[in-house]
Amino acid sequence: VIYYYKSKKIDPPYQGHFEKKLSKEFSRYMHGGYSLPVSSGTSAAFVAIQSLMLKKNSEILISPVNDSGPINSVFFLNLKPILLDSKINSYNSNLDQIKKKITKKTKAVLLAHIGGMSSEIGKISKYLKQKKILLIEDCSQAAGAECYQCKKRCTTCINRKVGEFGDVSFFSTMYRKNIASAGSGGIVFTKNISIFKNIQSCADRGKQPWKKINQNDPSKCIYPALNHNTNEFSSAITLSSLKRLNRTNYLRKKIIKYLIKKMAKCEICKPSYFDNGFSPFFFPIEVNENSLKVSKLKFAKDLKNLGVGLLEEYNCIISKWKWAKKYFSKDFNAENAFRYSKKTFNLFINENFTKNQINKIIDK
């Protein structure tokens, strides 16, 4: 970046050479469409939701497990959130849970793919299109993931990645993610050109970058919006990470498969569901407390103290956030997601893990 802009004798701008290159390459990775890098995953969520131009107090169904960024975006955009539950023994919601909560007032569904595992997105997207309900995909933890949720893969899912099914989708490129910006970052994606124009405006103060007008003149803006622009350094790093994404996912899946094989004889712990469509961000491990003299939480903390990289209990479950309850007018419980968090811990896995490291974790 420094070399490029030094040769041009200008400062690195936003919406510059490397951002445009990242947009092009990410759209190509997603089999066509329109992409816009932004400053953070929360910005990506905010812009994606705002781009649908939902009316104030529109009801939006939201996944039970999520980061606070997308949920806070729902609150700040004056939408009415309705909480879904996950399916049993999973952090992902499914079509059955969505059908339970849909009403005539439902205008959109914000569906997250948690831990790198796709939801049954093919079935869900088909159903929502029939109902004329908008779909927002949160792919923050699942860049490159594919849907393998049916016993026989749906033809609509073959050769499609998560993020291609929704009206709009967003990705976090925070550090530790499969595609990362060396800090914070995000990408908004759609295959709809009209929505993409909204994305461009929502990401940059209501401007109209598709028009040949003075974009620095605020009088040319079409509605209030914030500045979510990213920068050339983050874009260049994300572009480099994107080029490795398939390899990154392959290596993470390979080491999880080895982990599952080594855990075959474990009595205390067992691996969660896994398929070849994963884009692993973390991997839940189920604990049989009946085989322990201590609680699952104490067991997981002891493992962590021995040097195993893990999260003792997942608290990105919205129904655990007491402060958020007042923003929900209906049922605030997500019992399946809550129970799953109580019997699991999240093992952190990355592409640099070796079999020797997995063996040491198993031994501990």
Side-chain angles (χ1 to χ4, degrees):
V1 172
I2 292 171
Y3 178 81
Y4 178 86
Y5 283 102
K6 187 175 181 181
S7 69
K8 298 290 183 181
K9 297 183 178 180
I10 58 173
D11 288 337
Y14 54 79
Q15 299 168 5
H17 172 77
F18 292 95
E19 180 179 333
K20 290 174 181 176
K21 194 172 181 179
L22 173 59
S23 299
K24 181 179 178 180
E25 291 301 319
F26 191 81
S27 294
R28 182 182 298 173
Y29 183 79
M30 297 295 288
H31 304 125
Y34 310 94
S35 307
L36 186 69
V38 291
S39 57
S40 69
T42 297
S43 285
F46 194 97
V47 169
I49 299 167
Q50 188 182 12
S51 73
L52 297 182
M53 302 297 166
L54 298 170
K55 292 181 180 180
K56 185 178 179 180
N57 292 322
S58 293
E59 287 194 0
I60 178 171
L61 308 187
I62 59 176
S63 293
V65 182
N66 217 306
D67 181 72
S68 55
I71 308 310
N72 290 344
S73 298
V74 170
F75 300 154
F76 276 101
L77 288 167
N78 294 310
L79 303 175
K80 185 180 288 187
I82 307 296
L83 191 63
L84 295 166
D85 201 353
S86 65
K87 62 183 181 181
I88 295 173
N89 292 329
S90 176
Y91 285 131
N92 279 343
S93 195
N94 62 4
L95 182 55
D96 289 340
Q97 295 294 339
I98 289 172
K99 285 181 176 180
K100 290 179 183 178
K101 294 294 179 76
I102 277 184
T103 69
K104 292 180 180 180
K105 296 180 180 180
T106 305
K107 301 302 180 184
V109 174
L110 172 54
L111 187 73
H113 307 283
I114 299 299
M117 174 184 171
S118 167
S119 65
E120 50 183 47
I121 189 63
K123 286 182 177 180
I124 291 169
S125 62
K126 183 178 179 180
Y127 178 80
L128 293 179
K129 283 180 182 178
Q130 292 171 349
K131 292 286 186 179
K132 296 183 179 180
I133 294 171
L134 296 167
L135 173 59
I136 307 161
E137 283 187 81
D138 179 353
C139 309
S140 298
Q141 298 183 2
E146 298 177 347
C147 181
Y148 280 71
Q149 295 304 302
C150 299
K151 291 182 180 179
K152 183 179 180 181
R153 290 195 74 198
C154 304
T155 55
T156 55
C157 294
I158 294 173
N159 297 324
R160 294 176 77 185
K161 300 180 178 72
V162 300
E164 292 190 68
F165 297 86
D167 295 278
V168 65
S169 59
F170 62 90
F171 298 74
S172 168
T173 57
M174 181 195 79
Y175 71 101
R176 293 197 303 112
K177 296 289 174 64
N178 301 44
I179 172 173
S181 299
S184 67
I187 298 174
V188 192
F189 175 79
T190 185
K191 291 183 180 278
N192 184 309
I193 185 60
S194 296
I195 292 176
F196 184 63
K197 287 182 177 180
N198 290 342
I199 289 168
Q200 290 177 294
S201 288
C202 293
D204 192 9
R205 295 158 284 187
K207 294 180 181 180
Q208 304 176 74
W210 59 89
K211 288 187 176 181
K212 292 183 179 180
I213 56 177
N214 180 4
Q215 298 296 335
N216 293 321
D217 182 351
S219 71
K220 305 297 183 183
C221 297
I222 49 179
Y223 46 70
L226 302 177
N227 182 351
H228 298 281
N229 284 296
T230 186
N231 64 80
E232 288 291 80
F233 293 96
S234 291
S235 294
I237 292 168
T238 311
L239 180 61
S240 178
S241 184
L242 173 62
K243 291 178 179 179
R244 300 191 300 272
L245 182 54
N246 285 341
R247 178 69 176 169
T248 296
N249 286 341
Y250 168 77
L251 291 173
R252 291 188 181 193
K253 286 188 284 189
K254 184 178 179 180
I255 205 66
I256 287 178
K257 289 175 183 177
Y258 181 75
L259 170 71
I260 292 171
K261 181 180 178 181
K262 295 295 291 185
M263 291 184 70
K265 296 181 180 180
C266 292
E267 295 181 1
I268 296 174
C269 297
K270 74 173 185 177
S272 63
Y273 170 83
F274 181 78
D275 63 46
N276 204 45
F278 269 56
S279 167
F281 178 53
F282 60 78
F283 190 57
I285 302 295
E286 298 181 19
V287 179
N288 180 7
E289 274 194 334
N290 295 329
S291 300
L292 295 172
K293 295 182 179 179
V294 296
S295 68
K296 184 252 357 188
L297 197 58
K298 176 68 165 57
F299 174 75
K301 285 181 178 179
D302 288 344
L303 276 179
K304 189 175 182 179
N305 289 336
L306 289 172
V308 179
L310 59 82
L311 180 65
E312 306 96 301
E313 185 166 310
Y314 203 31
N315 286 324
C316 288
I317 298 168
I318 300 167
S319 59
K320 288 187 175 184
W321 310 345
K322 293 181 180 179
W323 64 268
K325 187 175 183 179
K326 67 179 181 179
Y327 296 98
F328 290 80
S329 60
K330 297 183 180 180
D331 187 9
F332 190 60
N333 294 321
E335 294 179 1
N336 291 340
F338 183 86
R339 283 196 293 264
Y340 194 56
S341 73
K342 290 299 180 183
K343 70 175 185 179
T344 60
F345 62 82
N346 293 341
L347 183 66
F348 298 139
I349 295 287
N350 68 57
E351 60 276 16
N352 296 312
F353 266 47
T354 64
K355 290 182 177 180
N356 185 48
Q357 286 173 302
I358 293 297
N359 291 338
K360 288 181 178 179
I361 290 172
I362 297 294
D363 290 342
K364 290 176 182 179

